[in-house]
Amino acid sequence: MQTPNAGFRGSLAEAPLPQVLRRIFLEQLKGTLSLVRGDETRHLFFEKGELRTATSSREGQRIGAFLKRRGWITDEELAWALETVAKQGRARLGKILVEKGLVSRAVLDAEIRRLVEEIVFSTFEWDAGDYRFQPSTGVLDPDVALTLSTAAIIVEGIRRLPENEIFRERLGDGRHVPMLAADP
């Protein structure tokens, strides 16, 4: 029998992402959900079952590339910031950009939120891959920790999925009438 603080793992083909997120939410888990498909890896970080931040190995889903794509910084500014981070070791790219005055803290916070949402919502489309949840007692860096409702993310992620046979199959036979829940 698994203890409440034990990690768990599985296949997204057998337990789709909304189901995995629901478990983390209901059990109010703290730790990291790692998702791997091919050569792509994503990490979702939770505290008390609520999503706090996410990272992706995909180049376009890193904060520097994301800020450049959205027009906040130039290629030259990104290159300078990445070089500065490399020289300083464990410095955060966003912090460097704010300190240099290339983006404001408000812009950085809003764009980090958009990036985390992009990472998570695009992962809902994965119908294959593996997941592993590892409990943690560590503390997230307050510069990257967000307040996101896991329940709301599950609902929005499912809403964004294109309808297909698998989607309809997971909804069930349609004989049950959905009811409004007091708690998401």
Side-chain angles (χ1 to χ4, degrees):
M1 185 171 153
Q2 237 177 354
T3 62
N5 293 329
F8 57 90
R9 63 179 54 228
S11 165
L12 291 172
E14 295 170 14
L17 183 59
Q19 205 171 320
V20 177
L21 294 178
R22 181 177 182 271
R23 176 177 179 183
I24 293 167
F25 174 73
L26 291 176
E27 295 180 21
Q28 295 190 344
L29 299 177
K30 178 179 181 177
T32 304
L33 177 64
S34 300
L35 302 137
V36 179
R37 181 181 71 171
D39 61 353
E40 195 170 350
T41 303
R42 298 182 181 181
H43 299 285
L44 283 55
F45 302 90
F46 295 86
E47 287 180 343
K48 295 183 182 173
E50 299 292 0
L51 181 65
R52 292 294 174 240
T53 194
T55 61
S56 172
S57 65
R58 185 189 293 174
E59 182 59 39
Q61 290 182 328
R62 295 190 179 145
I63 191 61
F66 190 75
L67 289 169
K68 184 175 131 310
R69 185 174 81 218
R70 297 197 29 92
W72 290 107
I73 59 174
T74 65
D75 283 328
E76 295 76 24
E77 291 165 337
L78 176 57
W80 171 84
L82 290 170
E83 186 178 313
T84 303
V85 166
K87 286 179 187 172
Q88 293 184 5
R90 293 195 44 90
R92 291 224 176 261
L93 182 73
K95 190 173 186 178
I96 300 281
L97 293 169
V98 169
E99 287 173 358
K100 179 74 171 172
L102 297 173
V103 296
S104 69
R105 184 74 226 185
V107 164
L108 180 64
D109 289 346
E111 294 302 320
I112 286 174
R113 181 179 209 88
R114 282 188 188 96
L115 175 58
V116 167
E117 289 174 349
E118 177 181 297
I119 291 168
V120 174
F121 291 140
S122 65
T123 310
F124 272 76
E125 298 169 5
W126 289 14
D127 55 4
D130 296 310
Y131 66 85
R132 184 181 81 219
F133 183 84
Q134 286 291 114
S136 170
T137 56
V139 177
L140 283 173
D141 182 339
D143 283 342
V144 297
L146 304 169
T147 303
L148 298 166
S149 164
T150 301
I153 285 174
I154 293 169
V155 171
E156 180 61 19
I158 291 170
R159 188 191 70 74
R160 291 180 181 207
L161 285 174
E163 284 191 40
N164 60 36
E165 195 57 42
I166 294 170
F167 177 83
R168 284 188 290 279
E169 182 180 305
R170 288 185 179 151
L171 285 176
D173 62 17
R175 288 183 286 175
H176 295 89
V177 178
M179 295 174 53
L180 186 61
D183 181 0

